Amino acid sequence: MNSIDKLAEMFANFPGIGPRQAKRFVYFLLSKNNGYAGELIRAIENLKREIIQCGECRRFFVKNGSNSNTCSICSDDTRDHGMLMVVPRDADFEVVEKSGSYNGYYFILGGTVPILEKEPEKMIRSKELGVRIKKGLENGLKEIILAMNANLDGENTAEYLKNELSPTLGTGVLITVLGRGLSTGSELEYADPETLKNAFLHRTK
Ligand SMILES: [Zn+2]
């Protein structure tokens, strides 16, 4: 495989990028001077060096010189230990946190479970979620909020998690989903703060 095809194949693995767009990226890079390519290479290297994944919520965060692998939110003891919000991706966590409507802890699932998926446990971090919940239960966890996208994949993921989690939880723990202030088909990532706030306030069992 020549280097154009090789790089195009790598870009085509990016979410939402097809083979034609991938090729356009490669030709774009070829049209730039060497400085640009060098900068891109350094940015990728820095990303891998400076960003680590939180051992608890699994989100990516800037290391900031400390050796801890726990992010600032998970290590913030003043947050509400009673609530754990489960979101599909890092971008979803960011919009919820920015909306300011929630003060509990998070868990990033790393994906969703499509309908008819034969191996759902491979699509999301279910095992890690189990570990996080167990720890939460020792620290007063009362409610697990499934904050999924308002589409079929999101609903399916919430159903799957409810079935998986319910038997392992005591009667004292609620599983809730966000209220349908989110219009059907909408993705969490693109919801505005006001909508999120309403969806959070109107969450249901
Ligand atoms: Zn964390």
Side-chain angles (χ1 to χ4, degrees), residues 53-61 69-75 93 105-108 132:
Q53 196 173 24
C54 175
E56 298 208 6
C57 68
R58 304 286 154 176
R59 77 184 176 93
F60 293 101
F61 71 103
N69 75 335
T70 309
C71 76
S72 56
I73 290 182
C74 293
S75 45
F93 146 77
Y105 295 92
Y106 296 90
F107 184 85
I108 321 292
R132 176 61 185 86

Side-chain angles (χ1 to χ4, degrees), residues 4 22 26 43 59 96 100 104 112 120 130 143 149 174 182 185 194:
I4 290 181
V26 176
R59 77 184 176 93
V96 176
T112 53
E143 181 178 348
N149 297 323
L174 272 182
L182 293 169
E194 203 48 38

Side-chain angles (χ1 to χ4, degrees), residues 29-71:
L29 283 173
L30 285 170
S31 74
K32 292 295 213 183
N33 59 24
N34 288 347
Y36 186 89
E39 219 177 298
L40 181 66
I41 290 166
R42 276 190 301 281
I44 295 172
E45 282 169 351
N46 288 342
L47 191 70
K48 298 307 276 186
R49 210 175 12 242
E50 292 165 6
I51 310 291
I52 56 169
Q53 196 173 24
C54 175
E56 298 208 6
C57 68
R58 304 286 154 176
R59 77 184 176 93
F60 293 101
F61 71 103
V62 186
K63 243 192 267 179
N64 261 341
S66 87
N67 275 331
S68 166
N69 75 335
T70 309
C71 76

Side-chain angles (χ1 to χ4, degrees), residues 109-160:
L109 263 188
T112 53
V113 179
I115 289 175
L116 300 177
E117 170 60 43
K118 290 206 174 66
E119 297 179 300
E121 67 287 346
K122 287 196 178 157
M123 307 298 291
I124 54 174
R125 301 178 180 124
S126 8
K127 225 198 297 161
E128 292 91 335
L129 176 60
V131 174
R132 176 61 185 86
I133 288 174
K134 212 167 160 203
K135 193 183 167 208
L137 292 173
E138 291 162 8
N139 280 305
L141 179 63
K142 293 267 176 299
E143 181 178 348
I144 298 168
I145 304 152
L146 304 176
M148 299 295 134
N149 297 323
N151 56 25
L152 287 176
D153 275 8
E155 279 165 30
N156 191 53
T157 310
E159 270 318 295
Y160 172 77

